[in-house]
C-alpha cells in the first residue's frame, strides 16, 4: 500500500498538463568519515539507500537520454536523473561503485583544476583547518579572527571561511587560501581528486562526463574573458581525456543571476554545449526553453517516505 501510493503520487505529479517533467538530482561529496565536517556531503550508507529508493519508485535515466526524451515529450512517468558535481575521488570510490551495483547511469561534472592540484580551493581550506596543529587556536584573516580551538569551532570556521571566500574573484580567493595555509602551516593537500584514468573508466562504463569550469569560480565575479576561458578549459581538458565531445555543463554554485547570468549562458552555447544545469530548485518541463539553465533538486531526508514524497512534490516546481 505504502509503495503503491507513493508511485501513484509521483506518477500524477510528473505528468500534469501537456509535458512530462524530469527531476534531476545533484550530489557533491559522499563518504564514510567526513560528513560531519562538510554540509554538502552525505554518508555513503545514506547515498546507497537513496539510490535503492530511486530505483524502487522512479525511472532513472542517463542524462543525455532523459533530455532527448523530454525534448520530444516522450519521457516515462517518474523520470529522474542523477548528477554529481566537482570531481572528488569519492565520486569514484563510493558513488561510481554504488551506481554500478545498482545498474544506474549518472552524470559527473568535473572542475578540472583538481586533476593537477589534487583538489579545489574549498578542499585547501578544509585540509588546512582540520590538520592545523592543536596549539593553533585562531586564525587572523584580513583582521577578522576565526576560532579553531576545538572540533566544533573548526567545523564552524571551515564553513564560514568557505562561504565568505566563495564569492571572491579567483585572485582574491587564492590570496585568502594562501593566508590560511600560511597560518596553519599546512602547505599542501593530499591528492583527493579523480584521476584521468578513473574518468576514462567511468565514461567507458556509460557515465556522462560534463564540464564544471576549471577552478570553480563564481562566474559573475570574473571578467568575461576569464569566465569564458574557465568554461572552455574544462571542456578541452575533459575532451582530451575521454576523446569524445563534452556536451553538458554545470554552473559552479549554480544560481541564476546570483552566480551566472545571460552572458555565461551565451558563452556555454557558443562553445557547443547541448545543455547546462543550474542548482536552482525545480524540475524540467520545457527542454527547448530551459536547456541552458536546467533546474535540479535533491531532498536530504533520511527516511524513505519523506525522501520520495519530497522528490515527487518537486515535479510541481518548474
Amino acid at each position: 500500500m505504502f509503495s503503491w501510493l507513493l508511485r501513484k503520487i509521483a506518477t500524477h505529479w510528473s505528468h500534469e498538463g501537456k509535458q512530462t517533467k524530469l527531476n534531476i538530482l545533484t550530489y557533491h561529496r559522499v563518504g564514510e568519515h567526513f560528513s560531519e565536517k562538510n554540509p554538502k556531503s552525505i554518508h555513503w550508507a545514506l547515498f546507497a539507500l537513496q539510490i535503492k529508493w530511486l530505483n524502487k519508485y522512479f525511472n532513472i535515466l542517463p542524462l543525455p537520454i532523459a533530455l532527448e526524451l523530454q525534448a520530444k515529450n516522450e519521457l516515462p512517468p517518474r523520470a529522474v536523473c542523477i548528477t554529481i558535481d566537482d570531481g572528488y575521488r569519492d565520486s569514484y570510490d563510493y558513488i561510481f561503485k554504488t551506481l554500478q551495483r545498482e545498474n544506474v547511469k549518472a552524470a559527473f561534472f568535473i572542475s578540472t583544476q583538481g586533476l593537477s592540484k589534487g583538489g579545489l580551493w574549498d578542499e585547501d581550506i578544509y585540509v588546512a583547518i582540520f590538520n592545523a596543529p592543536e596549539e593553533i587556536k585562531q586564525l587572523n584573516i584580513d583582521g577578522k579572527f576565526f576560532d579553531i580551538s576545538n572540533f566544533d569551532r573548526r567545523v564552524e570556521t571551515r564553513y564560514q571561511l568557505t562561504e565568505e571566500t566563495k564569492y571572491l574573484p579567483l585572485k582574491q580567493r587564492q590570496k585568502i587560501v594562501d593566508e590560511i595555509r600560511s597560518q596553519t602551516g599546512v602547505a599542501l593537500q593530499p591528492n583527493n581528486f579523480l584521476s584521468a584514468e578513473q574518468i576514462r573508466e567511468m565514461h567507458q562504463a556509460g557515465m556522462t562526463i560534463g564540464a564544471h569550469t576549471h577552478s570553480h569560480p563564481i562566474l559573475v565575479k570574473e571578467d568575461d574573458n576569464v569566465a569564458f576561458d574557465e568554461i572552455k578549459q574544462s571542456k578541452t581538458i575533459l575532451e582530451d581525456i575521454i576523446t569524445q565531445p563534452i556536451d553538458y555543463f554545470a554552473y559552479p554554485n549554480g544560481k541564476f543571476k546570483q552566480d551566472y547570468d545571460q552572458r555565461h549562458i551565451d558563452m556555454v552555447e557558443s562553445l557547443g554545449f547541448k545543455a547546462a544545469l543550474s542548482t536552482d530548485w525545480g524540475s524540467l518541463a520545457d527542454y527547448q526553453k530551459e536547456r541552458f539553465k536546467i533546474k535540479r533538486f535533491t531532498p536530504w531526508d533520511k527516511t524513505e517516505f519523506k525522501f520520495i514524497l519530497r522528490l515527487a512534490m518537486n515535479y510541481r516546481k518548474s
Side-chain angles (χ1 to χ4, degrees):
M1 180 66 180
F2 171 76
S3 300
W4 173 84
L5 178 61
L6 283 178
R7 286 194 189 93
K8 186 176 179 64
I9 291 171
T11 298
H12 174 69
W13 284 342
S14 67
H15 193 63
E16 289 185 299
K18 297 180 180 180
Q19 293 280 352
T20 302
K21 297 181 180 180
L22 174 65
N23 260 331
I24 302 177
L25 291 83
T26 179
Y27 292 93
H28 288 83
R29 306 295 303 275
V30 171
E32 291 183 302
H33 305 297
F34 58 71
S35 58
E36 71 276 12
K37 300 178 183 178
N38 188 339
K40 283 190 174 181
S41 72
I42 66 171
H43 195 280
W44 168 77
L46 178 58
F47 175 77
L49 271 176
Q50 289 179 353
I51 299 302
K52 288 182 181 295
W53 297 339
L54 291 168
N55 251 338
K56 180 178 178 182
Y57 293 100
F58 294 88
N59 290 305
I60 307 176
L61 300 172
L63 181 66
I65 292 175
L67 294 180
E68 180 180 345
L69 291 175
Q70 209 287 325
K72 298 176 181 177
N73 199 25
E74 295 177 359
L75 271 176
R78 295 174 279 113
V80 302
C81 296
I82 298 168
T83 66
I84 301 93
D85 288 0
D86 295 343
Y88 281 98
R89 198 170 63 201
D90 43 280
S91 292
Y92 180 87
D93 293 340
Y94 295 104
I95 298 175
F96 174 55
K97 300 295 180 62
T98 299
L99 296 174
Q100 282 192 305
R101 284 195 295 271
E102 298 295 328
N103 195 29
V104 169
K105 302 296 188 293
F108 293 80
F109 292 94
I110 300 166
S111 290
T112 46
Q113 188 181 67
L115 288 161
S116 57
K117 284 188 58 180
L120 304 173
W121 68 274
D122 60 324
E123 188 77 354
D124 286 333
I125 294 175
Y126 171 94
V127 169
I129 288 175
F130 286 104
N131 289 279
E134 290 185 6
E135 59 268 23
I136 298 177
K137 303 299 184 184
Q138 67 178 12
L139 303 176
N140 179 356
I141 307 299
D142 286 343
K144 186 174 181 179
F145 291 93
F146 296 87
D147 187 352
I148 59 170
S149 59
N150 57 47
F151 179 80
D152 288 340
R153 298 286 77 77
R154 291 187 183 211
V155 171
E156 182 180 325
T157 290
R158 182 263 179 191
Y159 179 77
Q160 186 177 355
L161 277 170
T162 300
E163 289 302 303
E164 291 184 6
T165 307
K166 178 190 300 183
Y167 278 93
L168 295 176
L170 288 173
K171 290 181 179 179
Q172 294 181 38
R173 178 193 290 176
Q174 189 59 50
K175 180 181 177 183
I176 297 296
V177 170
D178 290 343
E179 185 61 29
I180 295 169
R181 282 175 163 179
S182 175
Q183 292 186 35
T184 60
V186 181
L188 297 173
Q189 60 172 287
N191 191 332
N192 197 27
F193 211 76
L194 288 171
S195 68
E197 292 75 17
Q198 289 168 336
I199 293 171
R200 276 192 289 269
E201 180 183 345
M202 292 159 63
H203 167 69
Q204 290 164 3
M207 304 297 162
T208 300
I209 304 300
H212 196 41
T213 71
H214 183 60
S215 49
H216 207 284
I218 303 298
L219 293 171
V220 296
K221 297 296 182 180
E222 304 297 337
D223 293 337
D224 285 357
N225 62 324
V226 173
F228 183 85
D229 288 344
E230 280 279 332
I231 299 168
K232 182 179 180 181
Q233 190 173 3
S234 63
K235 188 178 196 295
T236 300
I237 290 172
L238 291 169
E239 286 178 340
D240 287 344
I241 291 173
I242 68 171
T243 65
Q244 294 288 329
I246 298 295
D247 291 328
Y248 303 99
F249 179 77
Y251 302 100
N253 222 50
K255 304 294 184 187
F256 183 54
K257 294 186 178 179
Q258 175 179 317
D259 304 312
Y260 74 99
D261 58 28
Q262 187 61 46
R263 292 172 299 158
H264 309 106
I265 292 174
D266 293 342
M267 292 175 194
V268 168
E269 188 170 8
S270 74
L271 284 166
F273 288 99
K274 292 181 178 179
L277 288 76
S278 74
T279 60
D280 290 308
W281 287 7
S283 59
L284 177 62
D286 187 336
Y287 174 75
Q288 296 303 332
K289 180 180 178 181
E290 305 166 33
R291 69 187 182 111
F292 288 109
K293 50 180 178 180
I294 296 172
K295 295 176 181 177
R296 296 186 282 177
F297 173 74
T298 303
W300 296 109
D301 304 276
K302 296 182 180 180
T303 66
E304 181 176 347
F305 178 81
K306 288 184 177 180
F307 179 85
I308 297 303
L309 182 61
R310 198 182 306 275
L311 184 57
M313 290 173 65
N314 189 63
Y315 284 118
R316 308 186 80 178
K317 301 176 182 177
S318 57

